[in-house]
Amino acid sequence: MIKLKSTLLGLFVCAVFSVSSHAQTQNQINDKFRQLNEYLPTANSYRTASGAPGYAYWQQRADYKIDVTLDDDKQTITGKATIKYYNNSPDPLKYIWMQMDQNRFDPKTSMDKKSETMPKTTKGMTMESFRKYVDERTFDGGFKVTSLTDSNGSDLKNVVVGSMMRIDLPEPLAAGAITEFNISWWYNIPDAKKYKLSRQGYEFFPRDENRIYEIAQWYPRVTAYSDYEGWHNKEYQGSGEFTLEFGDYDVAITAPSDHIVAATGELQNSADVLTQDQRDRLIEARTASVPVFIVTPKEAVENEKSHSTQMKTWRFKADNVRDFAFASSRKFIWDAMGYYMSENGETVMAMSFYPMAGEPLWSDISTHAVRHTLNVYNKYALTYPYPVAISVNGPIGGMEYPMISFNGARPTTHEDGTRTYSRRTKHGLIGVIIHEVGHNYYPMIINSDERQWTWMDEGMNTFVQNLAHQEWKDDYPLGRIDPRNITGYMTSTNQVPIMSNAESVIQKGNNAYAKPATAFNILRESIMGHELFDFAFREYAQRWKFKRPTPADFFRTMEDASGVDLDWFWRGWFYTTDHVDISLDNVRHFTIDTKDPEIEEAFKRKQEMEKRTHPSYFSNDDLPKRVDEFPGIKDFYNDHDEFTVTNKQRNEYNKLIAELEPWQIDMLKDDSNIYLLDFTNIGGLLMPLYLEIVYTDGSIEEKRYPAEIWKQDYNQVTKMIVTDKEIASVVLDPKYETADTDMFNNFFPRRILESRFDLVKEKANQARDMLKENQEKPKSLDDYKKEKQKEDDKNKKLSEENFKKLLDEYK
Amino acid sequence: MITLCVAGNGHAHRFYASFTQIELQPTKGTIEVIHRIFTHDIEDLLMRYRGSDGELSDEVIESFLKDYIVQAFAIYSPDGNMIPLNWIAVEVTLDNIFVYQEAPLQEGQETLIIADRILQDLFDDQSNTVNLKLDGKVKSHTFQKDSKMYQISFNGRTGDYPFEN
Ligand SMILES: [Zn+2]
């Protein structure tokens, strides 16, 4: 055992070399490093313990053949579909549940409207907004099913439950069997701008009396049936999104003949609907390095005027998609550019559809952003498997469907007809396009359940979106994945864990987007490193593309493919509401006890002398001393202080040295500095320790210790650092990597930190207008006193009144 | 005047949430307030409110919030006196809007009554979380539609205000 001596306190501290921690067994009851087993479902033949689909994995399938007509005069959709349903499950099914999401806009049945409460205070409601409020409740929305028959033409019994419909089959559909049924319906298309979270609808342009239609949730869709939940029959309330089955789509869209239609899938009959010029341009665009207009701005302006009463049918096919959406308008400019993917030799058409109101921003940005998204996501997830990727500008602010997304940002149109846009609008548009096109991967292809686990699509997508931002331009703000931005939220004492149901999540923006995206960022940048993280994250995408992963499959795959035990991380970040606050309490300095009495006694003497700081140790030094006047009273002790080395000590040392091996003697001569760093985990969430050590010689060293450092005791650990230099200061998490919520206790010695508030205040104070300040009339002190008295009286009265009023309101 | 029940435009990524951090700073003698609101929420709201499809400048957003926050958010001493908050600044970023306000802190004050209706007159689903922080301790409350005022105290009672008994 080697003894350490403290250079700070003059205490001789005895410690073993492995000082990592004091084990505390009572902590283990609630072990943060325990495997997640009790949270994760038991592995089975459908889903393996390594996080991959099992040998008996199955999912249902639904193919759709649909004829649909868009009536621009009445703003209706009328459709007729043949749906082929494959029961790949091992279970016989007596009925099939359908999602009737348009029923959300039926005021008679909508759960969404029923659960909405009338605001208490009606003051301030304008006629305009009251009209909207009434409209919402009188709008004749929702699916009107006109027929539902089996393949023989016989009627099928059905029951509508809010936004769901149960089709009762005459015979149970056996495991492995296929059934076909026909359904016809129509509905009034809602004005998208009248609803929050409408996700689809039309936008009216009064100037030219045209509309842009963004059509989605427009046909009865088969509800998902899975091995872990059976029928996902959950009422649609608007906030949670969708869970759907894959299948092939063959859709014929009939629209006014001067409309341009964009849709999920590949256009099958371009000769019927496009001019020869337009078809030539499409071919040119395939290999172009910049977007090429298929419909030019000039042609779009001409189309706006024609208001044709003729109809045209556009046919689209889409294979292996989980949904189908389209957009249609006279107003569309259309540009396109091919993206050749060297991974598989295929070319994807990146395309954009937008009105003149989107210019000049859209033709510059949109198609580039689509192509950029494919480029980046292909790297982190999987090679894009579809023939087109589309961005449409219309009424919807941002919403994703397979191969097609709706993105709302536009420039400002000024009175003189010119249009300008700010940097924020531009960044915002790039961001929203990357985000919505990115949703093709999460969850359109990696088909997680959006309604139950919002973080699996939004969190992962937001994370990769931010990686794409970084590759767009160097100084793109980090935004939602910056650990510093999540700290405030993470200290709230009333959050719910990320692993909560989507519809019940309050603070969804933080919980489903920012917190998981930040967690992935920390895993990649700090805990796993790019190589291990990227491999495992991509492996998850590869395993689950066109399949239905659950959170457990993701957690398991990340560990399985990287070899890193992350249960502690998932537990802390996804199953608890703990936050990160680690304190660097103390840095204690020691050197090695050499056992050599000549050195050690001198060291003790120095320590003792350093303690003698009080003035009375020195202030009487000049006075004559009795021992000098009577030298006879002096003896051995007068010439030798208590730290004088005796012969006995020398002998003992020599005896010790004689018994030691040469390497042991060397160790005793080591003049290293030994530092013990004490850390306390205040927030509860375990994180690695990242240290920046500045030495007295000015050199700087970075040290990184994994979270496992907390394994024995996750309230307190001590880390030893041995160095031949002397430490001047230590910072814990100097780069703000861990979302530590209180940085004040991360510095040794403590430092005054400028808070975000201070910085902003400073900046605001600097932005003064001195000219204006100088124009103020000078006032006397008396003036101010009078003014203040007046102001105080007024405020007091006002505040009393307001408080009383507020109290009344809440009664 | 902000109108009631303005319907949003169906953004898949609207959050209907705000987050407010109030820090009692005895050493500085101040109460610091930072509101964090999602930029999308404010943009969509203002589009409706102004009835235009154009973009919004930072100045428009700031002048709107200056009027709006004063009506929607207030803090009171336990004696019922409103504590007037000075306007410090607004920061508009791509994802978030931060609003900074400040007031003097009375000595020994460890209790605030909070009214937070930010965007609740407009969106039924709006939820506003407030963290009150003193010496590293945090207490949180989330205001939903129809929430009462709320008292948070580090040396007394915490709960819906006025108290039932
Ligand atoms: Zn999203």
Side-chain angles (χ1 to χ4, degrees), chain A residues 1-252:
Chain A
M1 186 159 76
I2 291 191
K3 273 182 143 181
L4 300 178
K5 55 188 188 189
S6 165
T7 63
L8 288 180
L9 303 165
L11 292 173
F12 285 76
V13 178
C14 180
V16 237
F17 245 112
S18 54
V19 257
S20 68
S21 67
H22 344 257
Q24 286 180 358
T25 45
Q26 69 267 30
N27 280 342
Q28 310 308 326
I29 292 164
N30 186 10
D31 182 1
K32 290 174 197 266
F33 283 97
R34 200 169 68 245
Q35 296 299 292
L36 277 177
N37 298 337
E38 83 269 26
Y39 289 130
L40 303 186
T42 312
N44 54 38
S45 55
Y46 309 134
R47 292 160 197 279
T48 71
S50 64
Y55 68 89
Y57 177 85
W58 57 267
Q59 67 189 16
Q60 309 294 69
R61 171 176 169 169
D63 293 343
Y64 297 78
K65 194 176 176 320
I66 312 178
D67 287 316
V68 56
T69 301
L70 168 67
D71 185 329
D72 186 29
D73 292 330
K74 297 202 204 94
Q75 297 98 50
T76 60
I77 286 286
T78 306
K80 191 175 87 196
T82 301
I83 302 173
K84 192 171 175 184
Y85 185 70
Y86 303 68
N87 181 11
N88 296 328
S89 80
D91 318 319
L93 300 174
K94 280 169 69 180
Y95 42 78
I96 295 171
W97 278 101
M98 304 292 288
Q99 281 180 205
M100 311 292 279
D101 293 331
Q102 278 297 327
N103 289 2
R104 194 195 138 201
F105 302 100
D106 178 352
K108 293 185 292 297
T109 59
S110 165
M111 272 274 285
D112 183 37
K113 281 277 146 310
K114 274 189 287 194
S115 63
E116 193 176 73
T117 49
M118 183 68 189
K120 209 170 233 175
T121 48
T122 47
K123 61 185 175 199
M125 190 183 219
T126 61
M127 286 308 286
E128 171 68 2
S129 58
F130 185 68
R131 190 177 61 79
K132 280 181 179 166
Y133 186 84
V134 172
D135 275 357
E136 250 184 59
R137 279 151 187 78
T138 51
F139 174 69
D140 183 21
F143 283 126
K144 325 317 178 179
V145 175
T146 47
S147 95
L148 174 61
T149 60
D150 64 14
S151 49
N152 303 321
S154 324
D155 284 347
L156 282 167
K157 232 186 101 199
N158 69 82
V159 178
V160 175
V161 185
S163 68
M164 301 179 298
M165 176 172 74
R166 193 187 71 223
I167 301 176
D168 294 331
L169 302 173
E171 303 264 304
L173 183 63
I178 299 170
T179 186
E180 230 177 54
F181 54 93
N182 307 301
I183 186 164
S184 301
W185 72 95
W186 72 274
Y187 69 89
N188 290 309
I189 304 166
D191 177 344
K193 299 242 167 197
K194 279 189 185 163
Y195 291 86
K196 60 192 179 199
L197 290 170
S198 54
R199 302 184 193 280
Q200 44 78 57
Y202 69 77
E203 175 183 11
F204 181 61
F205 294 78
R207 197 176 54 80
D208 51 289
E209 299 200 326
N210 274 304
R211 287 179 173 80
I212 291 177
Y213 294 91
E214 291 182 325
I215 303 296
Q217 292 112 56
W218 57 279
Y219 58 97
R221 301 183 292 183
V222 174
T223 301
Y225 182 81
S226 73
D227 58 297
Y228 61 90
E229 178 139 331
W231 288 108
H232 292 233
N233 46 356
K234 197 153 178 291
E235 182 76 8
Y236 178 55
Q237 291 177 49
S239 162
E241 291 176 44
F242 313 107
T243 317
L244 300 155
E245 304 286 8
F246 287 101
D248 293 346
Y249 284 70
D250 183 343
V251 181

Side-chain angles (χ1 to χ4, degrees), chain B:
Chain B
M1 183 79 223
I2 288 299
T3 56
L4 165 79
C5 235
V6 180
N9 84 341
H11 198 291
H13 307 105
R14 274 273 284 286
F15 303 125
Y16 304 113
S18 77
F19 178 79
T20 298
Q21 177 101 357
I22 308 175
E23 268 193 67
L24 306 180
Q25 304 266 25
T27 44
K28 288 192 201 165
T30 55
I31 302 173
E32 297 178 350
V33 180
I34 306 179
H35 307 284
R36 175 181 167 191
I37 308 170
F38 290 100
T39 309
H40 280 317
D41 287 359
I42 293 296
E43 278 177 348
D44 287 352
L45 162 65
L46 274 179
M47 298 261 185
R48 299 286 80 64
Y49 174 53
R50 295 161 76 233
S52 101
D53 290 317
E55 47 171 13
L56 295 159
S57 66
D58 292 5
E59 291 71 38
V60 169
I61 291 177
E62 169 149 17
S63 79
F64 162 75
L65 286 174
K66 240 178 175 165
D67 290 343
Y68 183 73
I69 295 290
V70 172
Q71 302 177 37
F73 180 87
I75 53 176
Y76 301 85
S77 299
D79 58 13
N81 282 322
M82 186 162 95
I83 303 170
L85 288 163
N86 294 321
W87 192 263
I88 304 292
V90 171
E91 268 184 302
V92 183
T93 70
L94 210 52
D95 293 330
N96 301 297
I97 295 174
F98 297 94
V99 177
Y100 298 82
Q101 295 178 290
E102 191 186 51
L105 176 69
Q106 300 304 313
E107 216 175 288
Q109 174 150 23
E110 300 195 0
T111 302
L112 287 183
I113 301 164
I114 302 158
D116 185 346
R117 295 164 160 182
I118 293 173
L119 300 183
Q120 286 181 343
D121 46 348
L122 303 153
F123 304 129
D124 295 322
D125 312 339
Q126 180 75 22
S127 75
N128 301 322
T129 298
V130 175
N131 274 8
L132 184 65
K133 194 172 167 193
L134 171 68
D135 294 336
K137 290 166 293 182
V138 176
K139 289 194 177 184
S140 306
H141 180 65
T142 298
F143 292 85
Q144 308 273 16
K145 187 154 200 84
D146 294 331
S147 283
K148 296 180 162 192
M149 287 190 285
Y150 197 79
Q151 174 168 310
I152 299 182
S153 179
F154 289 99
N155 57 4
R157 198 165 163 184
T158 292
D160 283 337
Y161 191 88
F163 298 117
E164 296 286 305
N165 50 51

Side-chain angles (χ1 to χ4, degrees), chain A residues 617-630:
Chain A
Y617 278 114
F618 316 106
S619 58
N620 303 317
D621 279 2
D622 293 340
L623 297 178
K625 303 291 184 290
R626 189 164 190 87
V627 289
D628 294 332
E629 203 181 328
F630 304 97

Side-chain angles (χ1 to χ4, degrees), chain A residues 241 398 400 435-436 439 442 457-458 461-462 465 513, chain B residues 12-13:
Chain A
E241 291 176 44
E400 69 278 5
H435 184 98
E436 306 309 345
H439 271 311
Y442 311 93
D457 58 298
E458 296 302 352
N461 186 36
T462 300
Q465 178 198 345
Y513 294 69
Chain B
H13 307 105

Side-chain angles (χ1 to χ4, degrees), chain A residues 12 17 75 161 353-354 370 395 400 514 522 543 572 607 629 642 654 681 687 690 707 735 801:
Chain A
F12 285 76
F17 245 112
Q75 297 98 50
V161 185
F353 297 76
Y354 43 92
V370 172
E400 69 278 5
I522 291 173
R543 284 178 175 183
Q607 298 263 303
E629 203 181 328
E642 59 179 303
N654 287 337
N681 183 355
M687 288 304 271
Y690 302 140
K735 295 174 190 160
E801 278 169 10

